[in-house]
Amino acid sequence: MKPLTTLFFCILLNSNLVGQENHIQLPPQLLSGPMVGHTTSSLANIWLETDKAADVKVHYWVESGSSPIVKGVAGGRTSEEAPHVGTVILDNLPARGILHYELEIDGQAVRPQTVQSFMLMPEPETTADFKVAFASCINPIRVPLQPIWTQVAIFNPDALLLIGDNNYMPMRPGAYEAPESTVSFALTRYHRYLRDIPGLRTVLATTPTYAIWDDHDFGPNNSDRTFRWRNLTLDLFKKYWPNPSAGTPETPGIFYSFKIADVEFFMLDDRYHRDPNEAPDRATMLGSGQLSWLREKLKASTATFKVIVNGHTMTIDRQDAGEYWANFGSERDDFLNWMFSEGINGVFFISGDWHVGSLSRIDFSKEGYPLYELISSNAAVHPVEADDHLYRQNRQTSGHNRRFDGPIINDILDYNFGLLEFSGKEGDRAVTLKLIDHRGEVRAAHVLREKDLTR
């Protein structure tokens, strides 16, 4: 009888423990992040996601030249409703200091999974030297281990721009014929899993990061304003990317601008207001509200360089090959003619989408200066290796990316990211446009001086 009694007692004890587990409240856990968002010379945003609503603290200290170390703590709370995301603002920081930070969630310290340090921005309107990296087309499903982020970290940019196709949501429109709760569940996971990519996780925790979208992280392939879930995807994008703003009170979208030293970046939304590519009466890619905002911002800008950033090409006429702004009536030409008529200097363009890296010069008008567009794509969407002859042959002979005039640098098919290096004294500023591959090799470099972009 003794063994049976012991067995009965064990079963009873285990059943009681199971019952108790159902009532145990586990403390909140870090689900995603941390990620450094919009940063200035005196302010930084730290974004994170928890598995339930939680109070969050960021403990930080700043090294700044010969000045004493500055130590502080800032707090916030993740949202009550899922996804439980939040941003903690660190303010009154010393310019150009190196900031180190640690997280605390509901009173419990969170052990860092990677380095959590970054440098604050130069003072506004100064002529400091700094670097900005950018990339597009990131597909964790195809490429779960992405070597490009190791190279981004090695080049140590002051900021990172993720400019579209930052993840690949379902490409077929039929995939979205599901209840809203199901679509929301899936899109949330795509945003979250992007932040789990080895290497990228470290870059996001150590580099102020800004984002816009293109079709694959907005919705299905080549999606536009007719996408039935555009408001849902807009809401989720704003929750997962701590950009300085998103749209205007009158015009929804993800577009915004920000400055680093004497350079201003204009981050555009090429999806929310876009006419369908196939519509015979297509007339707008950006929408009238966003175009008005862009014109006002450019006219008011005092920046030496004005960088217009979009998910896909802005200046190039691809002659019916893929997606491009010139495919929407006269909107592109009207804008560029307006830009030159207003005497707006210092503009160049960066974009992604094509799964290549390239640089083009377009002599659009005798009334203005040459238009340069640096394209960086395939950060990690197609595993191109030296022996992938078929893929290379198809891309190089199909003309998919060469149906236009003006290439300075022909297609780089390997994994790549772009790097903008700003330097020089006031009145003689320069930017070096670079394309760098996953081995760290600088595959292309072109210098633009301030005078090259002056009418």
Side-chain angles (χ1 to χ4, degrees), residues 2-58:
K2 190 172 182 180
L4 289 176
T5 303
T6 303
L7 177 61
F8 175 77
F9 177 77
C10 291
I11 293 173
L12 181 62
L13 178 62
N14 287 335
S15 65
N16 288 336
L17 288 175
V18 170
Q20 291 176 20
E21 283 179 359
N22 292 333
H23 297 89
I24 293 174
Q25 293 294 321
L26 298 175
Q29 302 294 312
L30 180 66
L31 200 56
S32 187
M35 176 172 67
V36 185
H38 176 51
T39 298
T40 69
S41 59
S42 61
L43 174 148
N45 289 273
I46 307 296
W47 176 97
L48 73 160
E49 180 184 12
T50 54
D51 64 351
K52 62 183 72 174
D55 292 320
V56 178
K57 289 183 179 179
V58 175

Short mmCIF file of all heavy atoms in Angstrom, two decimals, residues 2-58:
data_model
loop_
_atom_site.label_atom_id
_atom_site.label_comp_id
_atom_site.label_asym_id
_atom_site.label_seq_id
_atom_site.Cartn_x
_atom_site.Cartn_y
_atom_site.Cartn_z
N LYS A 2 2.05 1.17 0.54
CA LYS A 2 2.87 2.37 0.67
C LYS A 2 3.20 3.01 -0.67
O LYS A 2 3.06 4.23 -0.84
CB LYS A 2 4.14 2.05 1.44
CG LYS A 2 4.93 3.28 1.84
CD LYS A 2 6.06 2.91 2.78
CE LYS A 2 6.82 4.15 3.21
NZ LYS A 2 7.92 3.84 4.12
N PRO A 3 3.61 2.21 -1.70
CA PRO A 3 3.89 2.84 -3.00
C PRO A 3 2.67 3.52 -3.59
O PRO A 3 2.77 4.59 -4.19
CB PRO A 3 4.37 1.66 -3.85
CG PRO A 3 4.89 0.66 -2.87
CD PRO A 3 3.99 0.79 -1.68
N LEU A 4 1.48 2.93 -3.44
CA LEU A 4 0.27 3.54 -3.99
C LEU A 4 -0.06 4.85 -3.30
O LEU A 4 -0.49 5.82 -3.91
CB LEU A 4 -0.90 2.56 -3.86
CG LEU A 4 -0.86 1.33 -4.78
CD1 LEU A 4 -2.03 0.41 -4.47
CD2 LEU A 4 -0.89 1.76 -6.23
N THR A 5 0.14 4.86 -1.97
CA THR A 5 -0.10 6.09 -1.20
C THR A 5 0.83 7.21 -1.66
O THR A 5 0.42 8.36 -1.83
CB THR A 5 0.10 5.83 0.30
OG1 THR A 5 -0.77 4.78 0.70
CG2 THR A 5 -0.19 7.08 1.11
N THR A 6 2.09 6.85 -1.86
CA THR A 6 3.08 7.84 -2.32
C THR A 6 2.70 8.38 -3.69
O THR A 6 2.77 9.59 -3.96
CB THR A 6 4.48 7.21 -2.37
OG1 THR A 6 4.80 6.71 -1.07
CG2 THR A 6 5.51 8.23 -2.81
N LEU A 7 2.28 7.49 -4.60
CA LEU A 7 1.90 7.90 -5.95
C LEU A 7 0.69 8.83 -5.90
O LEU A 7 0.66 9.87 -6.58
CB LEU A 7 1.57 6.66 -6.78
CG LEU A 7 1.08 6.92 -8.21
CD1 LEU A 7 2.15 7.66 -9.02
CD2 LEU A 7 0.71 5.59 -8.89
N PHE A 8 -0.32 8.49 -5.07
CA PHE A 8 -1.50 9.33 -4.95
C PHE A 8 -1.14 10.73 -4.44
O PHE A 8 -1.63 11.74 -4.93
CB PHE A 8 -2.51 8.66 -4.00
CG PHE A 8 -3.71 9.52 -3.72
CD1 PHE A 8 -4.73 9.65 -4.66
CD2 PHE A 8 -3.82 10.20 -2.50
CE1 PHE A 8 -5.83 10.45 -4.39
CE2 PHE A 8 -4.91 11.00 -2.26
CZ PHE A 8 -5.93 11.12 -3.20
N PHE A 9 -0.23 10.77 -3.45
CA PHE A 9 0.19 12.05 -2.88
C PHE A 9 0.89 12.91 -3.93
O PHE A 9 0.66 14.12 -4.02
CB PHE A 9 1.12 11.81 -1.69
CG PHE A 9 1.65 13.09 -1.08
CD1 PHE A 9 0.84 13.87 -0.27
CD2 PHE A 9 2.95 13.50 -1.33
CE1 PHE A 9 1.33 15.04 0.29
CE2 PHE A 9 3.44 14.66 -0.79
CZ PHE A 9 2.63 15.44 0.03
N CYS A 10 1.73 12.31 -4.77
CA CYS A 10 2.45 13.05 -5.81
C CYS A 10 1.48 13.62 -6.84
O CYS A 10 1.62 14.76 -7.28
CB CYS A 10 3.48 12.16 -6.49
SG CYS A 10 4.87 11.72 -5.41
N ILE A 11 0.49 12.79 -7.22
CA ILE A 11 -0.48 13.27 -8.20
C ILE A 11 -1.26 14.44 -7.64
O ILE A 11 -1.50 15.45 -8.31
CB ILE A 11 -1.43 12.12 -8.61
CG1 ILE A 11 -0.66 11.05 -9.39
CG2 ILE A 11 -2.60 12.65 -9.43
CD1 ILE A 11 -1.48 9.80 -9.68
N LEU A 12 -1.68 14.33 -6.37
CA LEU A 12 -2.44 15.40 -5.73
C LEU A 12 -1.61 16.68 -5.63
O LEU A 12 -2.09 17.78 -5.91
CB LEU A 12 -2.89 14.95 -4.33
CG LEU A 12 -3.72 15.95 -3.52
CD1 LEU A 12 -5.04 16.24 -4.26
CD2 LEU A 12 -3.99 15.41 -2.13
N LEU A 13 -0.33 16.56 -5.28
CA LEU A 13 0.55 17.72 -5.16
C LEU A 13 0.73 18.41 -6.50
O LEU A 13 0.63 19.63 -6.61
CB LEU A 13 1.91 17.28 -4.60
CG LEU A 13 2.98 18.39 -4.45
CD1 LEU A 13 2.50 19.45 -3.48
CD2 LEU A 13 4.30 17.78 -3.98
N ASN A 14 0.94 17.61 -7.56
CA ASN A 14 1.15 18.19 -8.88
C ASN A 14 -0.10 18.89 -9.38
O ASN A 14 -0.03 19.95 -10.00
CB ASN A 14 1.55 17.09 -9.88
CG ASN A 14 2.98 16.63 -9.65
OD1 ASN A 14 3.78 17.38 -9.10
ND2 ASN A 14 3.28 15.39 -10.07
N SER A 15 -1.27 18.31 -9.08
CA SER A 15 -2.51 18.95 -9.54
C SER A 15 -2.72 20.28 -8.83
O SER A 15 -3.21 21.23 -9.42
CB SER A 15 -3.69 18.01 -9.29
OG SER A 15 -3.89 17.80 -7.90
N ASN A 16 -2.34 20.35 -7.55
CA ASN A 16 -2.46 21.62 -6.82
C ASN A 16 -1.52 22.67 -7.39
O ASN A 16 -1.86 23.85 -7.50
CB ASN A 16 -2.16 21.40 -5.34
CG ASN A 16 -3.29 20.66 -4.63
OD1 ASN A 16 -4.43 20.68 -5.09
ND2 ASN A 16 -2.97 19.98 -3.53
N LEU A 17 -0.29 22.25 -7.78
CA LEU A 17 0.67 23.19 -8.34
C LEU A 17 0.20 23.73 -9.69
O LEU A 17 0.36 24.91 -9.99
CB LEU A 17 2.04 22.52 -8.50
CG LEU A 17 2.80 22.24 -7.20
CD1 LEU A 17 4.08 21.47 -7.50
CD2 LEU A 17 3.13 23.56 -6.48
N VAL A 18 -0.40 22.83 -10.49
CA VAL A 18 -0.91 23.27 -11.79
C VAL A 18 -2.01 24.31 -11.59
O VAL A 18 -2.08 25.32 -12.27
CB VAL A 18 -1.44 22.06 -12.60
CG1 VAL A 18 -2.20 22.54 -13.83
CG2 VAL A 18 -0.28 21.17 -13.02
N GLY A 19 -2.87 24.06 -10.62
CA GLY A 19 -3.92 25.02 -10.34
C GLY A 19 -3.38 26.36 -9.89
O GLY A 19 -3.88 27.41 -10.25
N GLN A 20 -2.29 26.31 -9.08
CA GLN A 20 -1.70 27.55 -8.61
C GLN A 20 -1.04 28.32 -9.76
O GLN A 20 -1.07 29.55 -9.80
CB GLN A 20 -0.66 27.26 -7.52
CG GLN A 20 -1.27 26.77 -6.22
CD GLN A 20 -0.21 26.40 -5.21
OE1 GLN A 20 0.93 26.83 -5.33
NE2 GLN A 20 -0.57 25.60 -4.24
N GLU A 21 -0.44 27.57 -10.73
CA GLU A 21 0.23 28.24 -11.84
C GLU A 21 -0.73 29.10 -12.64
O GLU A 21 -0.36 30.14 -13.19
CB GLU A 21 0.88 27.20 -12.77
CG GLU A 21 2.17 26.62 -12.21
CD GLU A 21 2.76 25.58 -13.15
OE1 GLU A 21 2.13 25.32 -14.20
OE2 GLU A 21 3.81 25.04 -12.83
N ASN A 22 -1.99 28.66 -12.72
CA ASN A 22 -2.96 29.42 -13.48
C ASN A 22 -3.23 30.78 -12.85
O ASN A 22 -3.79 31.67 -13.50
CB ASN A 22 -4.27 28.64 -13.60
CG ASN A 22 -4.11 27.41 -14.47
OD1 ASN A 22 -3.27 27.38 -15.35
ND2 ASN A 22 -4.93 26.38 -14.22
N HIS A 23 -2.86 30.93 -11.57
CA HIS A 23 -3.12 32.20 -10.89
C HIS A 23 -1.83 33.00 -10.65
O HIS A 23 -1.88 34.09 -10.10
CB HIS A 23 -3.82 31.93 -9.55
CG HIS A 23 -5.18 31.30 -9.70
ND1 HIS A 23 -5.36 29.93 -9.76
CD2 HIS A 23 -6.40 31.87 -9.84
CE1 HIS A 23 -6.66 29.67 -9.90
NE2 HIS A 23 -7.31 30.82 -9.95
N ILE A 24 -0.69 32.43 -11.03
CA ILE A 24 0.56 33.15 -10.85
C ILE A 24 0.68 34.25 -11.89
O ILE A 24 0.49 34.02 -13.09
CB ILE A 24 1.77 32.20 -10.96
CG1 ILE A 24 1.77 31.21 -9.79
CG2 ILE A 24 3.08 32.98 -11.00
CD1 ILE A 24 2.85 30.15 -9.91
N GLN A 25 0.98 35.47 -11.46
CA GLN A 25 1.17 36.59 -12.35
C GLN A 25 2.67 36.78 -12.59
O GLN A 25 3.40 37.25 -11.70
CB GLN A 25 0.55 37.86 -11.76
CG GLN A 25 -0.96 37.85 -11.66
CD GLN A 25 -1.61 37.82 -13.03
OE1 GLN A 25 -1.15 38.46 -13.96
NE2 GLN A 25 -2.69 37.05 -13.15
N LEU A 26 3.13 36.36 -13.75
CA LEU A 26 4.53 36.52 -14.08
C LEU A 26 4.84 37.99 -14.36
O LEU A 26 4.00 38.72 -14.90
CB LEU A 26 4.89 35.67 -15.30
CG LEU A 26 4.71 34.16 -15.14
CD1 LEU A 26 4.99 33.46 -16.45
CD2 LEU A 26 5.62 33.62 -14.04
N PRO A 27 6.02 38.44 -13.99
CA PRO A 27 6.36 39.85 -14.24
C PRO A 27 6.47 40.13 -15.73
O PRO A 27 6.73 39.22 -16.53
CB PRO A 27 7.72 40.00 -13.54
CG PRO A 27 8.29 38.62 -13.49
CD PRO A 27 7.11 37.71 -13.33
N PRO A 28 6.28 41.38 -16.16
CA PRO A 28 6.41 41.71 -17.58
C PRO A 28 7.81 41.41 -18.09
O PRO A 28 8.80 41.56 -17.37
CB PRO A 28 6.12 43.22 -17.61
CG PRO A 28 5.40 43.51 -16.35
CD PRO A 28 5.92 42.55 -15.34
N GLN A 29 7.88 41.00 -19.35
CA GLN A 29 9.15 40.66 -19.98
C GLN A 29 9.38 41.56 -21.20
O GLN A 29 8.44 42.01 -21.85
CB GLN A 29 9.14 39.20 -20.44
CG GLN A 29 8.90 38.20 -19.33
CD GLN A 29 10.03 38.18 -18.33
OE1 GLN A 29 11.20 38.11 -18.72
NE2 GLN A 29 9.70 38.21 -17.05
N LEU A 30 10.66 41.81 -21.50
CA LEU A 30 11.02 42.53 -22.72
C LEU A 30 10.73 41.64 -23.92
O LEU A 30 11.22 40.52 -24.01
CB LEU A 30 12.51 42.91 -22.68
CG LEU A 30 13.03 43.68 -23.90
CD1 LEU A 30 12.40 45.05 -23.98
CD2 LEU A 30 14.56 43.80 -23.83
N LEU A 31 9.92 42.13 -24.84
CA LEU A 31 9.53 41.34 -26.01
C LEU A 31 10.32 41.76 -27.25
O LEU A 31 10.63 40.92 -28.10
CB LEU A 31 8.03 41.52 -26.26
CG LEU A 31 7.31 40.47 -27.10
CD1 LEU A 31 7.49 39.08 -26.51
CD2 LEU A 31 5.82 40.83 -27.18
N SER A 32 10.65 43.04 -27.35
CA SER A 32 11.37 43.54 -28.51
C SER A 32 12.09 44.82 -28.13
O SER A 32 11.62 45.59 -27.32
CB SER A 32 10.40 43.81 -29.66
OG SER A 32 11.09 44.14 -30.84
N GLY A 33 13.27 45.02 -28.77
CA GLY A 33 14.07 46.20 -28.45
C GLY A 33 15.15 45.86 -27.44
O GLY A 33 15.42 44.68 -27.16
N PRO A 34 15.78 46.91 -26.91
CA PRO A 34 15.52 48.32 -27.13
C PRO A 34 16.03 48.79 -28.49
O PRO A 34 16.91 48.19 -29.09
CB PRO A 34 16.29 49.00 -26.01
CG PRO A 34 17.46 48.08 -25.75
CD PRO A 34 16.91 46.69 -25.97
N MET A 35 15.43 49.90 -28.95
CA MET A 35 15.84 50.53 -30.20
C MET A 35 15.97 52.03 -29.96
O MET A 35 15.12 52.64 -29.31
CB MET A 35 14.81 50.26 -31.29
CG MET A 35 15.10 50.97 -32.60
SD MET A 35 14.00 50.45 -33.95
CE MET A 35 12.44 51.09 -33.35
N VAL A 36 17.04 52.60 -30.50
CA VAL A 36 17.25 54.04 -30.40
C VAL A 36 16.50 54.71 -31.54
O VAL A 36 16.71 54.38 -32.71
CB VAL A 36 18.74 54.40 -30.46
CG1 VAL A 36 18.92 55.89 -30.23
CG2 VAL A 36 19.53 53.60 -29.44
N GLY A 37 15.61 55.63 -31.21
CA GLY A 37 14.86 56.35 -32.22
C GLY A 37 15.43 57.74 -32.46
O GLY A 37 16.64 57.95 -32.39
N HIS A 38 14.55 58.68 -32.74
CA HIS A 38 14.95 60.06 -33.07
C HIS A 38 15.86 60.62 -31.99
O HIS A 38 15.56 60.57 -30.80
CB HIS A 38 13.69 60.92 -33.20
CG HIS A 38 13.97 62.36 -33.45
ND1 HIS A 38 14.82 62.81 -34.44
CD2 HIS A 38 13.51 63.49 -32.81
CE1 HIS A 38 14.87 64.13 -34.41
NE2 HIS A 38 14.09 64.56 -33.44
N THR A 39 16.99 61.15 -32.43
CA THR A 39 18.01 61.67 -31.52
C THR A 39 18.50 63.02 -32.02
O THR A 39 18.68 63.22 -33.22
CB THR A 39 19.20 60.69 -31.43
OG1 THR A 39 18.73 59.44 -30.90
CG2 THR A 39 20.30 61.22 -30.53
N THR A 40 18.71 63.96 -31.10
CA THR A 40 19.27 65.26 -31.44
C THR A 40 20.55 65.45 -30.63
O THR A 40 21.08 64.49 -30.06
CB THR A 40 18.27 66.38 -31.12
OG1 THR A 40 18.12 66.50 -29.69
CG2 THR A 40 16.90 66.10 -31.73
N SER A 41 21.00 66.70 -30.54
CA SER A 41 22.20 66.97 -29.74
C SER A 41 21.91 66.95 -28.25
O SER A 41 22.84 66.85 -27.43
CB SER A 41 22.77 68.35 -30.12
OG SER A 41 21.81 69.37 -29.90
N SER A 42 20.63 67.00 -27.86
CA SER A 42 20.30 67.04 -26.43
C SER A 42 19.18 66.10 -26.02
O SER A 42 18.76 66.10 -24.87
CB SER A 42 19.90 68.47 -26.04
OG SER A 42 18.75 68.88 -26.77
N LEU A 43 18.68 65.29 -26.96
CA LEU A 43 17.51 64.44 -26.69
C LEU A 43 17.68 63.11 -27.41
O LEU A 43 18.24 63.03 -28.49
CB LEU A 43 16.25 65.16 -27.16
CG LEU A 43 14.91 64.45 -27.12
CD1 LEU A 43 13.79 65.46 -26.84
CD2 LEU A 43 14.61 63.71 -28.43
N ALA A 44 17.15 62.07 -26.78
CA ALA A 44 17.13 60.74 -27.42
C ALA A 44 15.86 60.01 -27.02
O ALA A 44 15.31 60.21 -25.92
CB ALA A 44 18.36 59.93 -27.00
N ASN A 45 15.37 59.15 -27.92
CA ASN A 45 14.20 58.32 -27.67
C ASN A 45 14.62 56.86 -27.65
O ASN A 45 15.29 56.39 -28.58
CB ASN A 45 13.16 58.53 -28.76
CG ASN A 45 12.49 59.88 -28.68
OD1 ASN A 45 11.50 60.05 -27.97
ND2 ASN A 45 13.01 60.85 -29.42
N ILE A 46 14.23 56.14 -26.60
CA ILE A 46 14.50 54.71 -26.50
C ILE A 46 13.16 53.97 -26.58
O ILE A 46 12.29 54.14 -25.73
CB ILE A 46 15.22 54.34 -25.19
CG1 ILE A 46 16.48 55.21 -25.00
CG2 ILE A 46 15.57 52.86 -25.17
CD1 ILE A 46 17.54 55.00 -26.05
N TRP A 47 13.02 53.14 -27.61
CA TRP A 47 11.77 52.40 -27.85
C TRP A 47 11.93 50.96 -27.38
O TRP A 47 13.02 50.37 -27.46
CB TRP A 47 11.46 52.42 -29.34
CG TRP A 47 10.26 51.61 -29.74
CD1 TRP A 47 8.99 52.08 -29.95
CD2 TRP A 47 10.21 50.21 -30.03
NE1 TRP A 47 8.15 51.04 -30.32
CE2 TRP A 47 8.89 49.88 -30.38
CE3 TRP A 47 11.16 49.19 -30.00
CZ2 TRP A 47 8.49 48.59 -30.70
CZ3 TRP A 47 10.77 47.89 -30.31
CH2 TRP A 47 9.45 47.60 -30.67
N LEU A 48 10.83 50.37 -26.91
CA LEU A 48 10.83 48.96 -26.55
C LEU A 48 9.41 48.42 -26.56
O LEU A 48 8.43 49.19 -26.58
CB LEU A 48 11.46 48.73 -25.18
CG LEU A 48 10.65 49.15 -23.94
CD1 LEU A 48 11.17 48.43 -22.71
CD2 LEU A 48 10.74 50.66 -23.72
N GLU A 49 9.29 47.10 -26.52
CA GLU A 49 8.00 46.42 -26.44
C GLU A 49 8.06 45.38 -25.34
O GLU A 49 9.04 44.64 -25.22
CB GLU A 49 7.66 45.74 -27.77
CG GLU A 49 6.32 45.02 -27.76
CD GLU A 49 6.04 44.28 -29.06
OE1 GLU A 49 6.98 44.14 -29.88
OE2 GLU A 49 4.89 43.82 -29.24
N THR A 50 7.02 45.32 -24.51
CA THR A 50 6.91 44.32 -23.45
C THR A 50 5.74 43.39 -23.74
O THR A 50 4.89 43.67 -24.59
CB THR A 50 6.72 45.00 -22.08
OG1 THR A 50 5.59 45.91 -22.16
CG2 THR A 50 7.96 45.79 -21.68
N ASP A 51 5.70 42.26 -23.03
CA ASP A 51 4.62 41.30 -23.29
C ASP A 51 3.32 41.65 -22.59
O ASP A 51 2.29 41.02 -22.82
CB ASP A 51 5.07 39.88 -22.93
CG ASP A 51 5.37 39.71 -21.45
OD1 ASP A 51 5.40 40.73 -20.72
OD2 ASP A 51 5.58 38.56 -21.01
N LYS A 52 3.35 42.64 -21.73
CA LYS A 52 2.16 43.21 -21.11
C LYS A 52 2.50 44.64 -20.71
O LYS A 52 3.67 45.03 -20.68
CB LYS A 52 1.72 42.38 -19.90
CG LYS A 52 2.74 42.32 -18.78
CD LYS A 52 2.29 41.41 -17.63
CE LYS A 52 2.36 39.96 -18.03
NZ LYS A 52 2.06 39.06 -16.87
N ALA A 53 1.50 45.44 -20.41
CA ALA A 53 1.75 46.82 -20.02
C ALA A 53 2.66 46.88 -18.81
O ALA A 53 2.49 46.10 -17.86
CB ALA A 53 0.43 47.53 -19.73
N ALA A 54 3.63 47.79 -18.82
CA ALA A 54 4.61 47.83 -17.75
C ALA A 54 5.19 49.23 -17.60
O ALA A 54 5.25 50.01 -18.55
CB ALA A 54 5.75 46.84 -18.03
N ASP A 55 5.62 49.53 -16.37
CA ASP A 55 6.39 50.74 -16.11
C ASP A 55 7.84 50.48 -16.51
O ASP A 55 8.40 49.43 -16.20
CB ASP A 55 6.32 51.13 -14.63
CG ASP A 55 4.93 51.57 -14.22
OD1 ASP A 55 4.28 52.29 -15.01
OD2 ASP A 55 4.48 51.19 -13.13
N VAL A 56 8.42 51.44 -17.19
CA VAL A 56 9.76 51.27 -17.73
C VAL A 56 10.64 52.43 -17.30
O VAL A 56 10.19 53.58 -17.26
CB VAL A 56 9.73 51.21 -19.28
CG1 VAL A 56 11.14 51.08 -19.84
CG2 VAL A 56 8.85 50.07 -19.76
N LYS A 57 11.87 52.11 -16.94
CA LYS A 57 12.86 53.14 -16.66
C LYS A 57 14.10 52.89 -17.51
O LYS A 57 14.47 51.74 -17.77
CB LYS A 57 13.25 53.16 -15.18
CG LYS A 57 12.17 53.69 -14.25
CD LYS A 57 12.66 53.75 -12.82
CE LYS A 57 11.58 54.30 -11.89
NZ LYS A 57 12.05 54.34 -10.48
N VAL A 58 14.72 53.98 -17.94
CA VAL A 58 16.00 53.91 -18.64
C VAL A 58 17.03 54.61 -17.76
O VAL A 58 16.93 55.80 -17.49
CB VAL A 58 15.93 54.57 -20.02
CG1 VAL A 58 17.31 54.59 -20.68
CG2 VAL A 58 14.92 53.86 -20.91
#
